[in-house]
């Protein structure tokens, strides 16, 4: 419990900690007003039952004189009005607290959610190689909800209810000490026993909920992501069944949590209301008259009306807190304990330009969790403003090499050097700002062509002249202007479903060129294009040669004819190098590759 409190406090930022503390204050006031209301019920009933009591009870007499009432009857009316006012006040305060609390909670949910996404996005690229993004999405969407509503808000409500219970119990003790203690022990005991009994089970439910929810997110992601293959292979039912299974597990866990947390209500209600009769019997047996029984009974019934819901809420909250523990733990872990990495800022405007060479010196790199390194002592040099081709069998390490040059993967040893300047954490963003990169798989936003080419630039800030220039080089401009209904404003659909593979690739090329980078890296950028279109794009790209440093990975070797130099890679090593013609005449493997395609 304490641990949980500490975690919650750690999750809030400084201002919110103070706010949460301030929120507790009106809660305390509301609890006190509430108890005052209850406290005055008894004297009220006493006077209703026996107006002469005013004269016999000292305290009543005091209030009677204070009220300046002309008769006991008038006193009753005044007292009734005061009581009414106090009750209304108590409820109004409660409503106000409720209002503040929900506002506060809404803020917390949005804050934690955004902070979590920010945190995930600030991880290096390697982090995502070992993550299923469905789990991350689930954490951002559902776990933050559990944490903000099910835990932060509940623990604040827990305080309110605890205040209320403590005050009411104190009041009952003042009225009749023995009876109050006796009832507290019984009530507390029953709750304690039930809670001890279900504690472990709640912990398990909590974990079940988190894991089944994760499975649901993943299945949804995969069902829609692979919808084409799924439909073609008639696998809808297969995915549906799995989804149903996880969903059932999730909802039944949730139902169990609800059942467990609300069940004691029924047990306690019978004990409590049964208790009222027991009190009457006890007092009758002790030879009390109805006039003395009635006020005590009144206060108990009224206190019960306040106390029971409070106790039930406390129990419900305690079990929900336990039930949300796994979520809290997860959010805490991801938000607070994982490495603090420098925040991703926007692309810097000062590009690190390359004048002489780009070098990889003695690079050693292995993927996280991989058994053997892809590169060990790998050396590679690219002269500035030349065009370099990279070929090699699949899995040779071409994309990995490019990812290292891009600064996406951090190598275990060695250095990436641009003109004698070692690229490090500080100057990496400037180096990246100078690179245009076309990945093997282009990712498109469900947005307009222009937004996809300018990528990540607000609509009003897009430089349309640059968009068109890039689209022309990518051999895309004519298609956009002649065939698309809204031209550059045509929306491409989720992941570009409304475009052909080749059109998507050309948008990727245009995107890389939009910022007019000094270095251009194409990873299989033309593999989906027909020979004629590819030739046209390669011509356009070779027009840029000797103005830009260009690295081209290609399987189709004719693409590389114009390269200044070609490197052949195999299993993380450069096995041969030369111009297209010399490799053609000297390297058998190269010949085979060239002739195949
Ligand atoms: N995240 C990863 N974790 C572990 N191993 C990986 C990871 N990504 C790639 N690999 C391995 O690294 C090797 C090199 O992969 P890479 O993508 O660089 O090859 P490639 O030359 O680009 O191949 P292709 O021509 O098929 O694109 C492969 O054997 C691959 O299995
Ligand atoms: Mg590759």
């Amino acid at each position: 419990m304490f641990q949980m409190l500490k975690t919650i406090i750690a999750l809030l930022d400084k201002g919110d900690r103070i706010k949460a503390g301030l929120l507790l204050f009106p809660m305390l006031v509301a609890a006190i007003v509430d108890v005052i209301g209850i406290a005055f019920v008894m004297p009220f009933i006493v006077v209703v039952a026996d107006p002469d009591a005013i004269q016999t009870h000292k305290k009543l007499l005091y209030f009677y004189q204070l009220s300046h009432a002309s008769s006991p009857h008038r006193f009753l009316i005044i007292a009734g009005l005061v009581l009414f006012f106090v009750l209304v006040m108590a409820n109004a305060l409660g409503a106000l607290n409720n209002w503040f609390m929900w506002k506060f909670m809404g803020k917390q949910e949005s804050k934690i959610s955004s902070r979590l996404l920010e945190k995930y996005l600030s991880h290096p690229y390697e982090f995502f190689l070992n993550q299923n993004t469905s789990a991350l999405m689930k954490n951002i969407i559902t776990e933050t909800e559990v944490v903000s509503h099910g835990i932060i808000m509940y623990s604040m409500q827990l305080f309110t209810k605890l205040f209320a219970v403590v005050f009411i119990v104190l009041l009952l003790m003042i009225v009749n000490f023995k009876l109050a203690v006796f009832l507290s022990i019984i009530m507390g005991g029953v709750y304690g026993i039930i809670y001890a009994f279900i504690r472990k089970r709640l912990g398990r439910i909590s974990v079940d909920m988190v894991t089944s929810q994760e499975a649901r997110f993943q299945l949804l992601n995969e069902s829609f992501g692979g919808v084409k293959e799924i439909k073609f292979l008639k696998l809808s039912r297969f995915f549906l069944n799995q989804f149903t299974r996880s969903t059932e597990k999730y909802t039944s866990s949730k139902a169990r949590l609800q059942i467990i947390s609300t069940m004691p209500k029924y047990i306690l209600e019978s004990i409590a209301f049964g208790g009222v009769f027991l009190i009457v019997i006890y007092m009758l047996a002790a030879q009390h008259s109805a006039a003395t029984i009635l006020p005590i009974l009144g206060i108990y019934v009224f206190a019960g009306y306040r106390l029971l819901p409070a106790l039930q809420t406390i129990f419900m909250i305690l079990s929900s807190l336990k039930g949300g523990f796994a979520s809290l733990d997860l959010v805490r872990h991801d938000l607070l304990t994982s490495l603090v990495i420098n925040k991703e800022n926007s692309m810097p405007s000062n590009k690190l330009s390359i004048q002489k060479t780009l070098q990889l010196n003695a690079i050693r790199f292995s993927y996280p969790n991989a058994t053997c390194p892809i590169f060990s002592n790998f050396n590679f040099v690219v002269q500035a403003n030349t065009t370099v081709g990279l070929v090699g069998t699949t899995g040779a390490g071409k994309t990995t090499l490019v990812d290292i040059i891009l600064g996406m993967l951090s190598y275990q040893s060695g250095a990436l050097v641009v003109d004698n300047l070692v690229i490090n954490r500080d100057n990496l963003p400037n180096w990246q700002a100078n690179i245009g990169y076309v990945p093997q798989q282009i990712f498109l936003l469900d947005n307009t062509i222009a937004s996809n080419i300018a990528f990540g630039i607000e609509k009003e800030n897009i430089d349309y002249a640059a968009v068109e220039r890039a689209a022309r080089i990518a051999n895309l401009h004519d298609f956009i202007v002649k065939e698309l209904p809204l031209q550059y404003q045509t929306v491409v659909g989720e992941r570009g479903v409304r475009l052909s593979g080749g059109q998507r690739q050309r948008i990727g090329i245009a995107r890389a060129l939009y910022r007019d980078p000094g270095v251009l890296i194409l990873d299989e950028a033309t593999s989906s294009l027909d020979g004629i279109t590819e030739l046209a794009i390669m011509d356009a790209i070779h027009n840029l040669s000797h103005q830009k440093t260009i690295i081209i990975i290609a399987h189709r070797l004719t693409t590389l004819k114009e390269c200044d130099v070609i490197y052949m890679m195999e299993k993380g090593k450069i096995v041969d190098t030369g111009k297209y013609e010399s490799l053609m005449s000297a390297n058998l493997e190269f010949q085979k590759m060239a002739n195949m395609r």
Side-chain angles (χ1 to χ4, degrees), residues 101-140:
M101 192 137 75
W102 279 102
K103 293 270 283 196
F104 180 71
M105 233 18 66
K107 269 260 168 57
Q108 290 316 310
E109 185 176 351
S110 82
K111 265 191 191 172
I112 296 178
S113 203
S114 300
R115 273 170 61 205
L116 207 52
L117 176 61
E118 183 189 17
K119 185 86 183 189
Y120 287 146
L121 286 179
S122 75
H123 280 84
Y125 176 62
E126 273 115 334
F127 169 79
F128 297 93
L129 297 178
N130 292 320
Q131 285 286 333
N132 191 308
T133 48
S134 307
L136 306 183
M137 279 185 215
K138 176 213 60 150
N139 294 349
I140 292 169

Side-chain angles (χ1 to χ4, degrees), residues 355-386:
Q355 309 294 339
K356 289 189 232 97
T357 55
L358 159 67
Q359 281 173 282
L360 290 183
N361 291 341
I363 294 281
R364 181 187 169 82
F365 173 80
S366 58
Y367 277 107
N369 304 329
T371 43
C372 57
I374 305 278
F375 298 119
S376 43
N377 196 22
F378 184 84
N379 294 294
F380 187 66
V381 184
V382 176
Q383 302 297 328
N385 300 325
T386 59

Side-chain angles (χ1 to χ4, degrees), residues 539-557:
D539 269 352
I541 285 178
H542 285 301
N543 280 340
L544 301 171
S545 65
H546 306 295
Q547 302 163 38
K548 293 186 193 300
T549 309
I550 304 173
I551 299 174
I552 305 171
I553 299 177
H555 279 144
R556 206 159 4 185
L557 298 191

Side-chain angles (χ1 to χ4, degrees), residues 502-540:
Q503 287 156 356
R504 267 177 249 168
Q505 261 192 341
R506 283 183 285 164
I507 290 184
I509 295 172
R511 180 188 292 169
L513 291 165
Y514 172 77
R515 289 168 208 258
D516 195 23
V519 179
L520 187 62
I521 298 179
L522 311 174
D523 189 351
E524 297 283 333
T526 53
S527 59
S528 303
L529 303 179
D530 62 276
I532 296 170
T533 313
E534 179 176 35
L535 213 67
I537 292 181
M538 286 324 288
D539 269 352

